Amino acid sequence: MERSEILTKAQAENEDERELQVKDKSITFSYIVMVLMAAVFTWIRAKQGLPMMDLCATVCGSVCAAMTYRFIKTKGKSYLLIAVVTFIVMVIAIVRFAMGH
């Protein structure tokens, strides 16, 4: 393999890695916005006396799924902890929602 071919291949690999990093950051920002918006809507619904547990269950379910996937792929203990906590909160929210709270 010639030097130019090696350089071209290395640059392509770096672009792939950069694309993965950008995608990961975009998902992180998406979670932050989703949680903030759900918090605002939950607060508004609570002020109006409306049930709000559906929003909590939805957000927690989404975060739990993502963190479970990350844990499976990376074995990072922090991902497992977040997945377990959000799963517990999701189950509590579903039960409360089903009870009309």
Side-chain angles (χ1 to χ4, degrees):
M1 202 183 291
E2 291 183 22
R3 182 177 180 202
S4 61
E5 291 175 17
I6 294 171
L7 181 60
T8 302
K9 186 176 180 180
Q11 287 173 340
E13 288 174 2
N14 285 341
E15 286 179 22
D16 290 343
E17 181 65 30
R18 184 177 186 288
E19 185 176 327
L20 287 174
Q21 288 176 350
V22 168
K23 185 184 255 185
D24 191 43
K25 289 257 189 209
S26 72
I27 291 170
T28 300
F29 285 122
S30 173
Y31 282 141
I32 291 169
V33 170
M34 179 180 61
V35 168
L36 290 174
M37 289 181 69
V40 168
F41 290 131
T42 299
W43 181 76
I44 291 169
R45 289 173 82 175
K47 287 291 209 181
Q48 296 173 346
L50 298 172
M52 58 187 176
M53 288 294 118
D54 56 334
L55 288 171
C56 181
T58 302
V59 170
C60 287
S62 176
V63 173
C64 178
M67 293 301 119
T68 299
Y69 179 80
R70 286 184 185 189
F71 171 72
I72 290 168
K73 292 297 184 182
T74 66
K75 303 299 183 215
K77 302 275 188 222
S78 62
Y79 297 136
L80 177 61
L81 177 64
I82 294 169
V84 168
V85 169
T86 54
F87 179 78
I88 291 168
V89 173
M90 179 189 70
V91 169
I92 292 168
I94 290 170
V95 169
R96 290 200 54 169
F97 179 74
M99 294 171 48
H101 295 296

